[in-house]
Amino acid sequence: MRQKDIAFIESGNSLYTLDRFTELPVLRAQSNTTGMQRENISTPDNNTLSVFPYGPSSGGMVESVYFDILTQGERIQKVSYDAGYKNRSIKLWGLSMSEALLRIERMNGVHSAAYSSMFCNICESGIGLDVPEEIGYLRVAMMEAERISSHLFVASRLTGGASQNIAHMNILLLREELLRTFASVFGHRYFFGVNRIGGIGRPVDIKGFQKKVRQISDEYKEIFRTLMDSRVFIDRLDKSAIIRGENSSGPTMRGAGIKKDGRNSHRYYEDLEFQTITADGGDALARFIVRSGEIQESAGIIEQVLSHAENLKMNISVNHEGSAFMSGGYMETPSGDASMIIKTESGKLVAMGFRSPSILNMEAFAESIGGNTFADFLFGYESLGIWICEMGDLL
Amino acid sequence: MKAWILRSFKKGIITSKFPKGKNESASPWSTLPIYTKGRQDPYCPVDAIAEGRVDANRCISCGLCYPEYEPSTDIHGSVSSVSVKALKKSIRLYQIDVGTCGACNVEIMTIASPQYDIARLGISFTNTPRQADALLVSGILTENMREPLKRAYEAMAEPRIVFAVGACAISGSLLGKAVSEALRVDVTVPGCPPDPFTIIDAVQKARGFK
């Protein structure tokens, strides 16, 4: 056994092991990759383990991420990952709050409404800005719409992976209808540029929005029911990547039966009625059921908030130059609970701390996939809704 | 099974006729903003505005130039320096993320959804650069992805077209370096992220259809 193999087996899971970039043979320039795709390692009891390097750029993965999959036959023994390949090291230090907001929005573009709403809320609390109630309601509408879109994306990945092609296409169809509605109402398919500190950046015409969202969620409910009648689909997800306990976040944790949702204690969601969806089992199927239930709940929340958010006006003339404060907050993104703390001096960011749900969920995935077969890898990973982009550094 | 068939009949044909017909939608702020009124050169965080014009390669769709500028909703903003007629019948794409926020990745995948149905145009995705005719690169160029990007490019057969998809890949936008620092870029697809119709339009241009 070579030194690097011992290091790999003993090191376990670790984040941002960028130094391994030069160690891993598959990534070395001009190396003989054919012989290195499958390396056999003999264990003391003479069983053969194989290490399959996967990534960082691989067909079938949405983002660039590297895995070492240690297997015995078809059975996965252990997974080690490196999420640092596409780490963008986003620099916020020394920027004004408005400049930082543009970067926070792009921390995870697919969940930009949640991230930008969280950051705006933190800044507004720090400055002591009294933001109109309607703005809070609009932010909730954007975040819940984004949750539906994100959950539909996860559902499409799962149905696609299970070769449920008709369901897969039907879900993609719904998601695209939803994104087109976002574009016509908010001016952007991913809500870029809508949130501003103190208000919104452009006029928003919400007429008919909740009706369209309800129509999409109802159509999804039918698809979900049909999928739940499919033995093939259920068998693919059932008992894949079982995660128990609180070492995860968002739908992953709720899929393990734990009734925790950041929205229940957030001030934006006060007075709103919705259920915290949970499921038993902690497997990919439970997470899929939670996400499907949350789509219906989110549609209900949007209906509640938009009845308060008519006649929205732009409110972007906020002067926050020279403000000095320390403030923190959190937001339940579609993948789980994100939290952030910032410190400003003379209106510029001088210190910040940040935690994304994908960091927790990735750890939970790597721990849970051991004992599953190769075929379960995709369902385990996709059912967690992990976004590598949000695992990067903020400087 | 019956439920799926009935549902399909209820929905009818929803696939776009684009590029022969007009695009049914556009993400307004992912298209080039144009001057409408007031100050010609308002604040732009990526210095994309000069003398009343917006540089599509730099624009990050932030909308800070509103109301002086408003979106054009023109999805034909891509520029191709190649026209490979050999790919008119079919083209296979490989997507590589070198440092994205995730939005470009998802928009590239969206062109396979039923509203766009790229298979009807002879466009498909492949899971390996070995079988790819074109590389769709998205995101800022991060140091750790330089080598995988180079390796993916080298694995492709000629003619290997490189698309820079999105403002990050084209210019580095707010966050970093452009892809052109590592590879020659043949096609630029502007937008943050580009609208799916803009991506399809760019692929068609590279195949010599326009």
Side-chain angles (χ1 to χ4, degrees):
Chain A
M1 189 185 291
R2 284 181 293 172
Q3 184 63 37
K4 65 177 176 53
D5 297 323
I6 299 166
F8 159 63
I9 290 168
E10 290 180 353
S11 66
N13 306 314
S14 54
L15 284 175
Y16 311 133
T17 50
L18 297 180
D19 53 332
R20 293 178 58 225
F21 181 75
T22 50
E23 286 173 24
L24 291 166
V26 75
L27 291 162
R28 262 188 219 144
Q30 296 166 358
S31 65
N32 176 7
T33 53
T34 317
M36 290 170 183
Q37 295 293 333
R38 179 180 298 210
E39 293 189 34
N40 293 332
I41 305 163
S42 293
T43 55
D45 56 355
N46 286 330
N47 285 326
T48 300
L49 299 175
S50 303
V51 180
F52 286 86
Y54 188 63
S57 174
S58 323
M61 299 298 283
V62 180
E63 294 179 280
S64 291
V65 57
Y66 182 83
F67 291 102
D68 274 324
I69 308 171
L70 186 71
T71 64
Q72 188 172 26
E74 218 186 325
R75 188 78 50 194
I76 297 171
Q77 298 294 328
K78 190 168 189 173
V79 167
S80 159
Y81 63 91
D82 186 340
Y85 278 92
K86 60 170 286 190
N87 183 2
R88 294 170 292 165
S89 299
I90 297 174
K91 193 183 162 211
L92 299 183
W93 191 91
L95 297 179
S96 71
M97 284 173 268
S98 307
E99 288 168 329
L101 175 61
L102 295 175
R103 287 151 179 88
I104 293 290
E105 242 176 10
R106 287 156 182 80
M107 190 72 198
N108 180 347
V110 183
H111 297 166
S112 90
Y115 276 98
S116 60
S117 298
M118 174 179 75
F119 187 73
C120 287
N121 188 33
I122 291 171
C123 294
E124 287 153 5
S125 305
I127 301 165
L129 265 179
D130 198 13
V131 179
E133 209 175 32
E134 301 85 53
I135 297 296
Y137 284 134
L138 184 77
R139 285 178 183 164
V140 170
M142 286 196 293
M143 288 190 286
E144 293 309 313
E146 182 177 82
R147 193 178 314 279
I148 296 174
S149 154
S150 180
H151 287 354
L152 287 176
F153 182 72
V154 172
S156 78
R157 299 288 296 166
L158 292 172
T159 47
S163 301
Q164 300 285 307
N165 291 341
I166 301 175
H168 173 64
M169 283 298 167
N170 272 284
I171 294 169
L172 285 179
L173 183 156
L174 290 183
R175 184 172 181 274
E176 177 60 18
E177 276 185 20
L178 193 61
L179 291 180
R180 287 183 179 185
T181 311
F182 297 171
S184 64
V185 173
F186 295 95
H188 196 276
R189 288 160 65 96
Y190 295 89
F191 305 105
F192 287 4
V194 180
N195 264 326
R196 293 274 191 272
I197 293 163
I200 52 171
R202 50 178 174 258
V204 171
D205 181 10
I206 55 164
K207 205 173 166 191
F209 183 62
Q210 59 265 55
K211 200 174 159 195
K212 185 70 188 171
V213 171
R214 176 53 75 188
Q215 177 214 319
I216 287 168
S217 69
D218 285 349
E219 282 188 43
Y220 178 73
K221 198 195 280 180
E222 273 179 44
I223 294 173
F224 173 71
R225 281 184 187 151
T226 317
L227 277 170
M228 286 295 102
D229 284 339
S230 165
R231 193 73 226 171
V232 177
F233 181 67
I234 290 172
D235 280 351
R236 298 304 298 115
L237 270 62
D238 193 27
K239 297 187 175 57
S240 289
I242 297 173
I243 295 171
R244 298 197 190 281
E246 296 194 13
N247 61 343
S248 58
S249 187
T252 307
M253 186 164 64
R254 294 191 283 277
I258 298 167
K259 204 170 182 176
K260 275 195 179 175
D261 189 327
R263 292 176 291 177
N264 287 324
S265 53
H266 199 283
R267 71 178 186 88
Y268 280 174
Y269 289 85
E270 277 173 15
D271 307 324
L272 295 176
E273 285 179 19
F274 64 97
Q275 274 187 354
T276 302
I277 307 289
T278 58
D280 295 324
D283 56 4
L285 180 63
R287 294 188 279 277
F288 174 70
I289 290 169
V290 168
R291 283 198 159 83
S292 299
E294 287 187 357
I295 287 174
Q296 306 308 319
E297 292 302 312
S298 293
I301 293 173
I302 291 170
E303 283 166 350
Q304 291 175 59
V305 293
L306 288 189
S307 61
H308 300 288
E310 282 169 3
N311 305 319
L312 281 163
K313 288 173 192 151
M314 282 170 61
N315 178 17
I316 52 173
S317 56
V318 177
N319 182 10
H320 48 73
E321 298 299 321
S323 52
F325 61 84
M326 185 184 257
S327 176
Y330 63 92
M331 195 60 79
E332 183 74 21
T333 74
S335 293
D337 193 9
S339 52
M340 190 176 199
I341 184 162
I342 59 168
K343 186 181 177 189
T344 67
E345 283 173 11
S346 308
K348 308 274 185 194
L349 268 75
V350 293
M352 69 236 49
F354 170 71
R355 193 196 68 168
S356 76
S358 290
I359 289 199
L360 265 180
N361 288 339
M362 186 66 137
E363 284 282 350
F365 164 70
E367 281 172 23
S368 68
I369 200 69
N372 288 252
T373 62
F374 250 156
D376 297 325
F377 186 90
L378 175 100
F379 298 104
Y381 184 76
E382 297 293 354
S383 65
L384 271 83
I386 291 168
W387 288 96
I388 306 299
C389 50
E390 64 183 23
M391 294 170 71
D393 300 325
L394 280 183
L395 307 174
Chain B
M1 181 57 83
K2 259 189 208 167
W4 294 123
I5 295 168
L6 285 174
R7 196 182 141 71
S8 299
F9 276 119
K10 253 197 263 172
K11 274 280 169 192
I13 297 168
I14 45 109
T15 304
S16 171
K17 288 198 164 48
F18 184 85
K20 280 189 181 163
K22 205 179 170 310
N23 53 300
E24 288 81 3
S25 72
S27 182
W29 282 99
S30 284
T31 61
L32 189 71
I34 45 172
Y35 176 70
T36 51
K37 60 184 176 190
R39 279 182 308 158
Q40 265 202 341
D41 297 336
Y43 168 69
C44 172
V46 286
D47 299 324
I49 302 176
E51 297 171 1
R53 299 179 79 88
V54 179
D55 179 355
N57 292 340
R58 300 195 67 82
C59 179
I60 56 161
S61 312
C62 66
L64 282 172
C65 54
Y66 180 84
E68 287 90 345
Y69 285 72
E70 288 194 30
S72 62
T73 66
D74 177 11
I75 54 90
H76 299 93
S78 62
V79 177
S80 174
S81 62
V82 293
S83 174
V84 186
K85 295 193 170 53
L87 298 174
K88 276 195 167 182
K89 280 203 167 173
S90 82
I91 183 169
R92 307 199 80 187
L93 313 174
Y94 182 77
Q95 178 187 358
I96 181 164
D97 159 15
V98 293
T100 66
C101 68
C104 282
N105 311 33
V106 175
E107 288 299 69
I108 291 171
M109 292 166 76
T110 298
I111 63 175
S113 64
Q115 284 91 340
Y116 303 98
D117 187 19
I118 49 167
R120 76 198 152 93
L121 302 170
I123 305 170
S124 60
F125 288 106
T126 173
N127 280 340
T128 165
R130 275 266 183 249
Q131 297 169 353
D133 302 304
L135 200 58
L136 266 58
V137 191
S138 52
I140 56 165
L141 182 66
T142 50
E143 282 309 306
N144 297 316
M145 284 304 292
R146 264 182 195 267
E147 184 65 18
L149 174 64
K150 196 172 139 233
R151 296 279 293 272
Y153 180 74
E154 285 168 358
M156 292 165 68
E158 297 281 356
R160 37 192 178 194
I161 309 173
V162 178
F163 287 71
V165 181
C168 289
I170 302 172
S171 66
S173 75
L174 282 168
L175 303 171
K177 293 174 188 166
V179 166
S180 58
E181 290 199 15
L183 281 186
R184 182 206 71 239
V185 169
D186 301 307
V187 187
T188 55
V189 192
C192 185
D195 189 272
F197 279 118
T198 307
I199 300 171
I200 296 172
D201 182 59
V203 174
Q204 294 299 81
K205 280 177 184 166
R207 300 166 77 193
F209 279 109
K210 284 180 185 176

